[in-house]
Amino acid sequence: MKILQVNKLYAPDIGGVETVCQQYSELYAKEHDVTVLCINKNFKFFGDVTYNNGVKIIRCGSLGMFLSMPISFTFMFHFLVQFIKCDLAFIHLPFPLADLSWMFSSFIKRKVFIVWHSDIVKQGMFKKLLGPILRLTVKHADKVLVTSPLMLEFSDSLGEVKDKCAVIPLSIDSKNIHQLANREVGIPELYDNNEIEGLFFGRLCYYKGINVLLDSLVEGHKKGFSPRVVIAGRGEYSSLVSDIIEKHNLENVIFINRFLSEEEKYTLLKMAKCFLFPSIEVSEAFGITQLEAMCLGTPVINTHLASGVPWVSQHNKTGLTVEPKNVSEFLAAFEKLSQDDALRHQLGENAIQRVATEFDDTVIFKKLNLLIKE
């Protein structure tokens, strides 16, 4: 079978959607002919074709990014060519250029699965303009894959097509994570490998709630609670993190202004008492980093979003869940997990078990293989 995966970007570009697209592509490439169609993230006049782990990757020429989406004049042409060639296409959304390309290629009859990662949240007028196109896309798809039951429940765009939706969660390779975690690499920005109370890593962008985390650390500092915390990542809020740490003299907070390697992430997770996940918007549809923490037995403090976030790590089972943007609640949960060893141990054990039975690659890949055989 010839399978086409369509996404705005592809590895080595970093992101949860890119990770899923890569997982799907490399899984199916073991038995099928898989092509990925995407766009270069940065300006590049001409596209290119590469091969990685059995997957053919076509990157179209790019004019750069606009509203977090890559712009390309050649994408529609390449979509048409590859769509004609394929037997089954997976289109990862939101990606408006893919919606438009499929709409103009609708005269070609192919099986299409939409992988619905998130509703469009931030771009107000843009969202209104695209609404009819998105509804048309899901209406004509053969199947719509969502990553959690809560996404299906709360999505503004999927209400009329619930009968064709299937829940396929994101997944991780638990065995590989444990192997990498055992390497315990050194991290230049840390003076020692002593235990840390809290850890945050990821993109420093608007929906991650890094401002809530910082406000809770400032509030805790004023009350005499100054846990050792590591914040790692890069993005539009990088300067905010640095400024608040300096302004409030948060000597207990170590800021690593870069993305971590896999080995560094897992070394820090083993050192941490809890993983801090204070996201504030439903743009955070799942949070695959929660799975990485849970896999290593690190409880998660997350937020009660109308998305898959609180379904992944569940309140009083694998961590603690608080209301989004509630600084006091987040701080209280952090203090509780920092100080209650028995609770932390029980939540960590539950987390390991939940990943093994619900989110490991071996479990999810079986569901994906069955999916294309239906």
Side-chain angles (χ1 to χ4, degrees):
M1 181 184 293
K2 291 186 177 181
I3 296 176
L4 175 64
Q5 296 276 346
V6 181
N7 191 39
K8 56 183 181 179
L9 304 171
Y10 193 73
D13 292 313
I14 295 174
V17 179
E18 286 68 48
T19 298
V20 176
C21 186
Q22 183 179 13
Q23 285 181 334
Y24 282 21
S25 301
E26 294 182 357
L27 164 70
Y28 287 128
K30 294 176 181 178
E31 297 181 9
H32 304 281
D33 182 353
V34 177
T35 297
V36 171
L37 179 63
C38 60
I39 302 175
N40 278 287
K41 184 175 184 178
N42 300 314
F43 176 83
K44 191 171 184 180
F45 194 77
F46 294 105
D48 55 72
V49 178
T50 58
Y51 294 84
N52 188 41
N53 293 333
V55 178
K56 180 181 180 180
I57 305 155
I58 302 173
R59 285 188 173 85
C60 301
S62 173
L63 299 179
M65 305 289 286
F66 176 71
L67 294 177
S68 301
M69 294 289 170
I71 305 299
S72 171
F73 284 138
T74 61
F75 179 84
M76 284 191 176
F77 169 75
H78 285 289
F79 181 93
L80 177 62
V81 171
Q82 297 305 318
F83 194 60
I84 291 172
K85 292 180 179 179
C86 79
D87 301 303
L88 166 64
F90 286 81
I91 302 178
H92 296 257
L93 300 182
F95 181 16
L97 198 51
D99 291 280
L100 291 170
S101 298
W102 185 31
M103 185 173 68
F104 287 118
S105 306
S106 59
F107 62 93
I108 303 166
K109 301 304 178 185
R110 296 290 185 271
K111 182 178 285 189
V112 174
F113 289 174
I114 298 299
V115 187
W116 191 266
H117 293 273
S118 171
D119 287 10
I120 295 176
V121 178
K122 192 178 181 183
Q123 297 84 0
M125 183 57 68
F126 196 51
K127 178 181 177 181
K128 291 180 180 178
L129 291 172
L130 289 171
I133 298 174
L134 288 170
R135 286 190 288 273
L136 195 64
T137 298
V138 296
K139 180 180 178 181
H140 288 94
D142 293 278
K143 195 170 286 292
V144 179
L145 311 184
V146 297
T147 55
S148 73
L150 291 183
M151 178 183 288
L152 182 57
E153 179 181 347
F154 292 114
S155 172
D156 293 333
S157 304
L158 302 180
E160 297 179 1
V161 295
K162 288 186 176 181
D163 58 319
K164 65 170 69 176
C165 292
V167 177
I168 306 289
L170 308 189
S171 66
I172 56 172
D173 185 342
S174 301
K175 182 179 179 181
N176 182 57
I177 287 175
H178 282 284
Q179 289 175 343
L180 293 175
N182 288 334
R183 296 180 184 178
E184 295 189 354
V185 299
I187 298 169
E189 292 85 353
L190 293 185
Y191 297 112
D192 56 60
N193 277 6
N194 293 334
E195 188 174 56
I196 56 179
E197 271 73 33
L199 171 65
F200 171 98
F201 57 75
R203 287 175 56 206
L204 303 178
C205 58
Y206 79 97
Y207 63 81
K208 290 290 186 180
I210 189 68
N211 55 321
V212 175
L213 171 57
L214 290 167
D215 287 347
S216 71
L217 294 176
V218 170
E219 185 176 313
H221 187 67
K222 292 176 181 177
K223 294 169 56 178
F225 176 62
S226 297
R228 191 179 190 218
V229 174
V230 172
I231 297 174
R234 192 172 62 216
E236 62 201 63
Y237 281 20
S238 291
S239 59
L240 175 69
V241 177
S242 299
D243 291 346
I244 289 182
I245 290 173
E246 182 179 356
K247 178 181 178 181
H248 295 277
N249 195 28
L250 299 179
E251 296 180 352
N252 55 305
V253 181
I254 301 161
F255 179 36
I256 303 174
N257 189 15
R258 61 179 176 84
F259 292 117
L260 302 172
S261 69
E262 298 296 288
E263 292 89 343
E264 287 175 328
K265 284 195 300 184
Y266 306 141
T267 295
L268 285 170
L269 281 170
K270 288 180 67 177
M271 294 166 55
K273 288 186 176 181
C274 59
F275 183 60
L276 308 173
F277 201 74
S279 301
I280 59 173
E281 299 289 352
V282 294
S283 301
E284 189 75 83
F286 188 91
I288 199 167
T289 52
Q290 294 189 101
L291 296 184
E292 295 175 313
M294 292 162 61
C295 175
L296 294 172
T298 306
V300 178
I301 301 176
N302 64 11
T303 53
H304 196 266
L305 294 170
S307 74
V309 168
W311 174 75
V312 175
S313 179
Q314 300 181 335
H315 183 57
N316 279 334
K317 293 182 180 179
T318 60
L320 299 177
T321 301
V322 301
E323 288 302 311
K325 303 181 184 180
N326 193 315
V327 172
S328 297
E329 274 194 31
F330 195 88
L331 177 61
F334 190 10
E335 287 185 283
K336 184 175 183 178
L337 278 189
S338 297
Q339 298 163 5
D340 193 332
D341 294 342
L343 174 63
R344 197 170 62 250
H345 176 75
Q346 185 59 58
L347 295 176
E349 289 296 312
N350 294 345
I352 292 171
Q353 183 62 27
R354 179 160 170 75
V355 169
T357 57
E358 301 291 335
F359 302 110
D360 189 73
D361 279 353
T362 55
V363 176
I364 302 305
F365 285 2
K366 286 180 182 178
K367 293 182 179 181
L368 287 171
N369 275 324
L370 289 173
L371 192 69
I372 64 172
K373 295 176 181 177
E374 291 179 359

